[in-house]
Amino acid sequence: MTEQSGRVYIVGAGEVGRRLGHALRGTGSEVIDVTRHEGWKGAREDPTGIRLLCVREEDLATVLDRLAGVPDRSIVCIQNGWIRPLVSHRTDVTRGLIWFTSKGDFFEVLRESPFHGPCAAVLADRLAAGGIPAGNVDESLFAALEADKMGFNCVVGLPLAVHGVTLERYLTDHRDEARALVEESVSTCARALDTTADSGWWREFCIAAQPLGRVRATAAKALEFRNGAVARLAEQQGITVPVTERLLRKVGFAQPR
């Protein structure tokens, strides 16, 4: 255990927060759900609690503002997109990449979920004991895994909305586009993080995507933190990401300046 050995406050009532809470409760952890209007007093004042942020990317800045004054070492951001600009000034915040799919009673692990930061070891141990494989990794490995996860995020979303198909159909009918999109996303993010992604990124993507064949995306969401972030990073690096840019144009996405 570490100094964060008390309650776990889960901010965010979606599938990720619900599933993580279930796993932690299964190991005897005291878990407090923090909703829009309840649980904030404890989350702000508990001296030993862990704050597990499971909110959408666009809501993260607001949640961090509500936790102003809370030690960074007690905050864990569960990310599903490029949130680094939001936490760049909070160097002791723990981050985690979730690799499972959950909907109602359905739950399937896609890969081990990596964590990095002060709370990483405690959380990884508890989650693994609760049935969610997780690991504590160093900063270098986390950066490589983050770039890899961005490739996954950028396919399971925008192109499905553009083509109006399931992930399975997309990977069958538009396989070359999918591979190019993953490559653009992973390589751009890896370059921005000064790291090298796993050379087996496409093989690993296809394996992780298999259980999600029926997934659809009726609308492209969180583009500023996913495909839009890739386009922005590419522009900053002076490189081109033609597949990413073409798909963004299809949905009329205007990159914030």
Side-chain angles (χ1 to χ4, degrees), residues 165-247:
V165 295
T166 64
L167 179 59
E168 181 180 33
R169 177 55 59 187
Y170 177 64
L171 293 179
T172 299
D173 295 349
H174 305 277
R175 194 170 186 82
D176 289 343
E177 178 185 279
R179 181 163 185 157
L181 184 59
V182 175
E183 181 175 14
E184 287 181 1
S185 304
V186 173
S187 60
T188 298
C189 293
R191 183 170 174 176
L193 294 170
D194 194 25
T195 188
T196 302
D198 188 332
S199 60
W201 51 266
W202 175 246
R203 181 188 68 253
E204 294 299 322
F205 169 84
C206 291
I207 293 172
Q210 283 182 345
L212 306 178
R214 296 184 180 180
V215 167
R216 290 181 178 271
T218 56
K221 300 178 181 178
L223 292 179
E224 181 180 349
F225 300 93
R226 301 183 188 186
N227 308 76
V230 170
R232 181 174 65 251
L233 291 170
E235 182 179 24
Q236 292 170 357
Q237 298 171 42
I239 60 178
T240 60
V241 284
V243 176
T244 297
E245 293 170 352
R246 174 169 54 80
L247 290 170

Side-chain angles (χ1 to χ4, degrees), residues 56-228:
R56 296 178 300 182
E57 300 97 323
E58 52 265 41
D59 295 329
L60 181 57
T62 298
V63 169
L64 289 172
D65 285 344
R66 293 191 71 172
L67 293 175
V70 171
D72 289 351
R73 291 180 61 84
S74 70
I75 294 175
V76 182
C77 292
I78 303 299
Q79 63 189 94
N80 201 25
W82 190 258
I83 67 166
R84 284 193 176 241
L86 300 179
V87 298
S88 60
H89 62 295
R90 311 187 75 150
T91 55
D92 277 343
V93 164
T94 299
R95 287 171 293 146
L97 303 171
I98 292 302
W99 276 103
F100 61 75
T101 181
S102 176
K103 189 174 181 62
D105 293 333
F106 177 75
F107 171 73
E108 184 160 349
V109 173
L110 305 178
R111 296 185 196 171
E112 180 179 272
S113 296
F115 288 81
H116 170 69
C119 295
V122 169
L123 267 180
D125 287 348
R126 293 192 197 180
L127 289 173
I132 296 179
N136 173 23
V137 303
D138 63 23
E139 184 175 9
S140 177
L141 180 54
F142 188 86
L145 294 172
E146 183 177 3
D148 186 53
K149 183 67 186 293
M150 280 293 288
F152 185 89
N153 294 338
C154 287
V155 172
V156 186
L158 172 61
L160 308 186
V162 168
H163 294 288
V165 295
T166 64
L167 179 59
E168 181 180 33
R169 177 55 59 187
Y170 177 64
L171 293 179
T172 299
D173 295 349
H174 305 277
R175 194 170 186 82
D176 289 343
E177 178 185 279
R179 181 163 185 157
L181 184 59
V182 175
E183 181 175 14
E184 287 181 1
S185 304
V186 173
S187 60
T188 298
C189 293
R191 183 170 174 176
L193 294 170
D194 194 25
T195 188
T196 302
D198 188 332
S199 60
W201 51 266
W202 175 246
R203 181 188 68 253
E204 294 299 322
F205 169 84
C206 291
I207 293 172
Q210 283 182 345
L212 306 178
R214 296 184 180 180
V215 167
R216 290 181 178 271
T218 56
K221 300 178 181 178
L223 292 179
E224 181 180 349
F225 300 93
R226 301 183 188 186
N227 308 76

